[in-house]
Amino acid sequence: MPSISRLLLLVPTLVLTALIIWAVRAGNFGAAGDWLTGEPWGIVTLTDLYFGFFLSALVIGATERRWLPALFWILPVFVLGNIWTGLWFVWRWPELLKRLRPATASGQAGPA
């Protein structure tokens, strides 16, 4: 059974997926792209988005112990975006918590 924290990561990932599907069907992708690349706040938005992708790639690269799984998760981030990052977080959440929590005297991770 998935933990509550993993479900809290999965739900927004699924909501984002649904929003993207809706926007592709209902919106004008060309006009949106023109605005994003032609207006100052559009450029800021894209820069912010890709900076977030870069930070996500750094976290994934620092977490994955082998280079092939790291590349499997990092490379699609720049195309699939935060849907892919969200799936990675859902999958790796227990490992991330284990690494982020300080070890106790027994060597086991303590409560957060």
Side-chain angles (χ1 to χ4, degrees), residues 76-98:
V77 164
F78 296 94
V79 177
L80 300 176
N82 288 317
I83 292 172
W84 193 249
T85 302
L87 292 174
W88 179 81
F89 269 94
V90 169
W91 179 61
R92 297 299 273 166
W93 190 246
E95 177 66 20
L96 288 169
L97 287 180
K98 188 167 71 172

Side-chain angles (χ1 to χ4, degrees), residues 33-100:
D34 289 343
W35 183 85
L36 283 170
T37 58
E39 294 293 326
W41 279 109
I43 294 168
V44 169
T45 299
L46 282 175
T47 303
D48 181 49
L49 179 71
Y50 277 88
F51 181 59
F53 293 167
F54 176 74
L55 292 175
S56 296
L58 287 177
V59 171
I60 293 168
T63 302
E64 295 299 330
R65 295 172 188 215
R66 296 183 329 259
W67 68 271
L68 198 55
L71 287 178
F72 172 80
W73 286 103
I74 290 170
L75 293 178
V77 164
F78 296 94
V79 177
L80 300 176
N82 288 317
I83 292 172
W84 193 249
T85 302
L87 292 174
W88 179 81
F89 269 94
V90 169
W91 179 61
R92 297 299 273 166
W93 190 246
E95 177 66 20
L96 288 169
L97 287 180
K98 188 167 71 172
R99 290 188 191 184
L100 291 172

